[in-house]
Amino acid sequence: YFYAHLHQLLLRLVESRFFKEAEVVANAIFRLSSCHPRELGSLASGLAYRVLQMSETDHNGFIKAAIAIGVSFSSPPGDMDFCKEVFRDLDHYLHRYEYSGDPTQSQKKEGSYRGIVREKTAHGVVVGILSHCCDVTDDVVQRISKTRSALDPSVPQRLTHVLDLTRRFCKLAPETAVDSIMRLLAKIYKAIGDMAKRMIANKGTRSIHSSFVDLCEAYMHDLTAEVYEYIMVINDEILPDGEDEDWEKENVDRGRADKRVVSNLKKEAKRVPNLIYSIEDCERKLIVLSKANGVNLMKNAKRSTARSVKFKDLEMPSSKRARSE
């Protein structure tokens, strides 16, 4: 009864464009649905998708609250389908903004969620989707750790959607949400490595389920190729030409906002060596599993020259390092 009133209230607030008040009601619906997920979860997620399609706003708080409801209470793979739909509108918006310089032109493209993808909200939408992908990957890792027998086929299938979406984000905009993308990539390779390790440990299981084979062949190695390209782009963003003094002077002249962006990029670059180690450790486990089961999981692997990434370029400029010492 109480939820029904909140349901109607949220719809009316969105129709009247009172998005600040709609954020408060959306948060209340999220908390109420968290207490009764079986009874209210599907109703709440359907409501969230509806209000997001109705909305044309740049109110970040409301958008984040509605996205949280939608992805948290949707049954798989409905949550990832929603993320992919939002990604299509986001992809169109960012490319039109990049090429035409006029972000309003992107709204001419028909899309279910184009009204919530704007200049002020694009970053928040990206972070919200990537955060959900991290939650899904954490859930996969937890399920793997609790598995004592053969791996559930639904686990690789669940991760397949995350891999596909992550690969798209790596191609979309390398400078967007670097922190979230790098964190998600580390979780993904750990999850795949844990799955391979679990299968190696189960010596009595001599066959690999087709869902895991599909995960490795159709998605993982495509993702890995994109990840190495992504790493190289991040490297170029941090030190474009390798000229320490010119690079430092240029970014000082740009102002505080750009210096903060560069600082964040440098911080995230420290994760690059660890990420490359995680990728190669995951591949090593897949090779061991392939030899143990007679299934070549690496046959579609794509070699990349990005393995020779210059880690020295990820360090601080020499002049700044000297002053810090």
Side-chain angles (χ1 to χ4, degrees):
Y1 178 76
F2 182 56
Y3 171 82
H5 281 282
L6 291 177
H7 185 114
Q8 294 299 324
L9 178 59
L10 181 60
L11 288 174
R12 292 177 182 177
L13 288 173
V14 171
E15 289 174 353
S16 302
R17 302 185 60 80
F18 293 121
F19 293 107
K20 183 176 181 180
E21 292 77 8
E23 177 189 358
V24 177
V25 177
N27 287 328
I29 290 176
F30 180 86
R31 294 178 182 179
L32 183 61
S33 301
S34 298
C35 297
H36 307 281
R38 293 184 179 180
E39 296 84 358
L40 302 177
S42 61
L43 295 174
S45 61
L47 173 63
Y49 297 153
R50 181 179 175 184
V51 297
L52 286 172
Q53 292 173 354
M54 294 168 50
S55 303
E56 292 187 4
T57 179
D58 57 1
H59 193 286
N60 269 302
F62 164 72
I63 293 173
K64 290 180 180 179
I67 289 177
I69 295 173
V71 297
S72 298
F73 300 109
S74 294
S75 301
D79 55 339
M80 301 308 299
D81 291 339
F82 163 74
C83 292
K84 291 177 182 179
E85 288 185 32
V86 174
F87 176 86
R88 281 194 290 269
D89 288 320
L90 186 66
D91 181 40
H92 173 73
Y93 176 86
L94 292 178
H95 279 93
R96 290 297 297 268
Y97 180 77
E98 177 182 358
Y99 297 130
S100 70
D102 183 5
T104 60
Q105 293 295 322
S106 66
Q107 297 180 16
K108 295 180 180 180
K109 170 90 173 175
E110 290 188 1
S112 300
Y113 301 100
R114 66 187 184 279
I116 64 171
V117 180
R118 301 190 175 192
E119 183 177 3
K120 293 182 180 180
T121 62
H123 177 76
V125 171
V126 170
V127 172
I129 294 175
L130 292 175
S131 296
H132 178 64
C133 290
C134 282
D135 292 339
V136 172
T137 308
D138 287 338
D139 180 64
V140 167
V141 172
Q142 187 176 13
R143 292 178 63 182
I144 294 171
S145 65
K146 294 180 179 180
T147 301
R148 294 293 179 266
S149 57
L151 189 67
D152 186 350
S154 64
V155 174
Q157 292 172 357
R158 181 70 166 147
L159 195 58
T160 295
H161 296 286
V162 178
L163 288 177
D164 186 28
L165 196 57
T166 306
R167 178 176 59 83
R168 298 184 190 186
F169 271 113
C170 287
K171 294 179 65 176
L172 176 62
E175 74 280 1
T176 302
V178 177
D179 180 42
S180 299
I181 292 177
M182 295 293 286
R183 187 186 307 115
L184 176 58
L185 288 171
K187 290 177 181 290
I188 286 173
Y189 285 105
K190 181 181 184 303
I192 297 175
D194 288 349
M195 278 190 277
K197 184 177 179 180
R198 176 66 60 184
M199 293 180 185
I200 295 171
N202 294 333
K203 297 181 179 180
T205 304
R206 303 300 300 176
S207 61
I208 303 177
H209 196 275
S210 59
S211 61
F212 185 75
V213 177
D214 294 340
L215 174 68
C216 296
E217 292 184 353
Y219 289 95
M220 183 194 143
H221 301 300
D222 289 339
L223 172 66
T224 301
E226 294 293 343
V227 169
Y228 281 122
E229 292 295 331
Y230 182 67
I231 290 172
M232 293 300 292
V233 173
I234 293 177
N235 191 25
D236 293 339
E237 288 289 335
I238 296 170
L239 291 176
D241 298 317
E243 300 176 359
D244 296 350
E245 296 295 339
D246 294 341
W247 178 87
E248 185 176 0
K249 181 179 178 180
E250 178 184 356
N251 285 283
V252 168
D253 293 339
R254 286 180 181 177
R256 183 177 302 175
D258 281 356
K259 288 194 294 183
R260 183 168 59 251
V261 172
V262 174
S263 176
N264 291 336
L265 286 172
K266 289 171 59 179
K267 180 185 68 175
E268 297 311 320
K270 297 178 181 178
R271 297 187 181 186
V272 170
N274 291 334
L275 176 59
I276 293 178
Y277 171 80
S278 298
I279 294 173
E280 296 184 344
D281 182 62
C282 175
E283 292 179 350
R284 178 185 61 81
K285 293 176 181 177
L286 290 176
I287 292 173
V288 173
L289 180 61
S290 297
K291 293 179 178 179
N293 291 269
V295 178
N296 187 4
L297 300 173
M298 305 293 293
K299 64 181 180 180
N300 290 332
K302 296 182 179 179
R303 297 184 181 275
S304 174
T305 57
R307 288 177 180 271
S308 60
V309 59
K310 298 179 181 179
F311 293 108
K312 65 180 180 180
D313 289 346
L314 302 177
E315 298 177 356
M316 294 175 60
S318 57
S319 58
K320 181 175 276 190
R321 184 169 59 253
R323 288 197 300 270
S324 65
E325 292 175 353

